[in-house]
Amino acid sequence: MVPGWLTDLAANAGRNPVPEVLRPPDDGAGRRAAVLLLFGEGSAGPDVLLIQRSSNGRRHAGQPAFPGGGVDPEDDGPIGAALREAQEETGLDPRGVKIVGTMPELYVWRSDNRVTPVLGWWHTPSAVHAASPDEVESVERIPVAELVDPANRLRLRYPRGRATPEEDPPRAFAGDPGGAPAFRVRGLLVWGFTAGILDRVLAVSGFERPWDRSRVEDLPPDVLRLASRG
């Protein structure tokens, strides 16, 4: 059974306008890509699957992210790409995943990707691990309860007044120039594009709890150094 909050999220996904800075170019430029927002029911309640990208990678090194990647011709669209990439990166069994819907396509200018977030329900969870060590360092199921815990929420400020290396997109999600949304959970600093999507999903699905939005920190130098590759 897919929970009602997730079906409602999928049904209403297209009703909220995409911020202008996240809208894909009208000329069709950009590589098609997809990420899998895979929710399941764990011992601590609803959770979401995240990976930590390899610190040796050229792009997005060391960053927590949703499983995903580019849409290949044989994928039959973003849903197929999201499931394939998730299987390659985490070893999950796609047969245990129910696709609930997709969110509007978002443009990440720094990587020139047109990203479709795919919503999935993990009705039959399988064991997951860093199945592609060259690309993924670790895999985590992060409880939603930990993401919405006010103690785990903050905003990140990029040096010289910018929000993050991706600059405006995270701020476009949050509508706040004082910093971009971020989370500290399970030893991970979740920030950038991934944190922006999580921030929005938690708010519209009704999970969000009041938290101190004045808690703004600088992006840590080691994180910035990794993110600046490529």
Side-chain angles (χ1 to χ4, degrees):
M1 295 290 292
V2 179
W5 63 265
L6 186 53
T7 56
D8 289 346
L9 177 64
N12 296 323
R15 297 183 181 178
N16 295 321
V18 175
E20 185 175 357
V21 73
L22 290 170
R23 295 174 192 165
D26 292 334
D27 62 4
R31 180 192 183 202
R32 295 178 69 211
V35 294
L36 180 64
L37 277 66
L38 182 57
F39 294 93
E41 187 71 24
S43 59
D47 57 29
V48 62
L49 184 69
L50 293 182
I51 63 172
Q52 183 174 20
R53 298 204 175 279
S54 171
S55 57
N56 296 319
R58 189 173 65 87
R59 287 188 178 274
H60 311 297
Q63 291 185 29
F66 302 112
V71 177
D72 292 340
E74 62 271 21
D75 284 328
D76 192 26
I79 291 175
L83 288 172
R84 174 185 56 77
E85 288 281 353
Q87 183 178 24
E88 292 175 358
E89 293 176 337
T90 74
L92 71 79
D93 184 349
R95 294 174 296 182
V97 177
K98 166 72 173 179
I99 297 301
V100 184
T102 61
M103 298 174 68
E105 191 178 57
L106 306 171
Y107 182 63
V108 183
W109 67 266
R110 189 167 185 259
S111 56
D112 192 32
N113 280 330
R114 308 167 67 99
V115 182
T116 299
V118 176
L119 297 168
W121 177 247
W122 211 357
H123 60 80
T124 309
S126 52
V128 289
H129 65 289
S132 180
D134 290 341
E135 299 180 11
V136 179
E137 286 190 2
S138 63
V139 180
E140 294 281 350
R141 294 182 64 172
I142 307 293
V144 169
E146 294 184 19
L147 290 169
V148 299
D149 185 339
N152 296 334
R153 303 211 61 178
L154 70 155
R155 311 191 77 78
L156 282 180
R157 179 176 50 235
Y158 186 62
R160 298 181 297 279
R162 297 193 308 176
T164 71
E166 283 129 348
E167 199 166 353
D168 286 332
R171 287 194 284 185
F173 280 113
D176 187 338
F183 306 81
R184 292 190 187 274
V185 286
R186 302 288 172 106
L188 300 175
L189 176 62
V190 184
W191 62 283
F193 184 76
T194 301
I197 293 180
L198 280 174
D199 178 74
R200 188 164 185 169
V201 166
L202 293 173
V204 300
S205 60
F207 284 114
E208 186 177 47
R209 295 166 54 189
W211 59 284
D212 183 6
R213 295 176 181 271
S214 67
R215 180 187 172 193
V216 181
E217 300 179 10
D218 290 331
L219 191 68
D222 58 331
V223 175
L224 175 60
R225 185 172 57 254
L226 288 173
S228 299
R229 292 180 182 171

